[in-house]
Amino acid sequence: MWTAPRVSKAMINVLALNLVASVMDWDNERATNEYAWLRMMSAMKYDGYSDFRAGVRFLESLVSWLRHFKPKDRETAYALVRNRLVYISSAEMQRVIENFIPEIVTPYLRKAVASAMGVRPYEVWRTDAGAKAFSDHLRRCLFVGLSDGSRIDVLRRANAGRLSQEQVVPMMNVDNDKWKGLGEDLRKELGPDAKFQEVYLIDDFTASGTTFIRFPEGGKPKGKLAKFEKIVQDASVALGDDFPLANGYTLHIHHYLSTAQAREALEGRIEEANGKLASRSYGDAYVTEGMLLPPDLRIGSVDAGGTMTVTKPADEPYVALCGTYYDDELFKRLEVHCKEAGQSDMRYGYANCALPLILEHNTPNNSIPILWAETKGKLGLPMRALFLRRDRHG
């Protein structure tokens, strides 16, 4: 019986590379130089993207994506990937998560314990009393995941033996039985009056900082903080003395990755929330991140009137590409979501963040849509994705 010969991954890569060279009309010298880079980046990063379709990896996706541009624009599209694309791999995200406790939480707690003991931070662990005070304060921290992206499973594994399983919860929808159980376990370890003094709300990424807390048209608060506040206040009324959070606990808002734009927006919105949230449960609030992305990562900034200012002169062709290869069907599909951010189109992504950024588990909608959008071209040119985004909004 005849069977089809097996095609190796190496052969598929060669075929895909030849297709890229054909689409780009490269000569042999250019193709040879680009092949080395494409092979390396595919193997080290891009092939790990979790939303590639079955049988498709980066090179195959790149061929399809490049083909949908006119021949005169393909070099610009390829240069966008070659020179401006930032891809956060699974390994890189893992390192940021692993560094959260030692580099963000530990310095803060050590400083707090040192202040309470009247010593310098580096002296905290010099005595048994200091070490115990630090350990107790760490146990009084509650870590709450805000989404699947908070990678609570990774956080737990990275801190096995350091954090208790009963101070880490994967999602903020904590019911009353869970709140009660968290308090009981804490009191067993630290005494009958023990309460959580610090609450860390954790998520993977923020680009605009606008969805965490907002007050649309001066109305009721929306966003993750508003939702968490309601959960806390409802549970506090229901459980009374059994509720495990201290009055006026310190709130920490931590993202593994954040843009400079989001950091500034979050600080402003937290200040607004402090004045507008009636009888809020928390006291002080701090914003932290594992990795702060630089302001010039974005290819441009859009003002309130919708005018785009290019970040760097070299980015002008990429901005033009976003304007040309755009289908307003994308905006219509996400219109309610976009209008909350004051947008009239989606050329530069949600909140006009204009980021050339890919996260290995999904592409943010704040990234430029020419990298992630799929449309049929009803209200513009059809859009094809290089890194297809899973979109929960439509």
Side-chain angles (χ1 to χ4, degrees), residues 205-214 255 257-267 269 298 337 341 343 349-355 364-367:
F205 175 66
T206 180
S208 66
T210 59
T211 58
F212 192 80
I213 182 68
R214 58 193 184 278
H255 292 86
L257 297 171
S258 173
T259 65
Q261 175 188 353
R263 173 63 185 263
E264 182 179 352
L266 268 175
E267 289 180 338
R269 285 172 179 263
R298 60 196 307 189
H337 185 53
Q343 289 180 257
Y350 180 70
N352 290 319
C353 288
L355 298 172
N365 63 2
N366 310 90
S367 290

Side-chain angles (χ1 to χ4, degrees), residues 270-295:
I270 292 300
E271 185 176 349
E272 180 184 12
N274 289 346
K276 290 184 177 180
L277 287 178
S279 305
R280 71 179 194 270
S281 62
Y282 63 88
D284 292 334
Y286 299 98
V287 177
T288 58
E289 61 282 316
M291 180 188 298
L292 185 64
L293 300 170

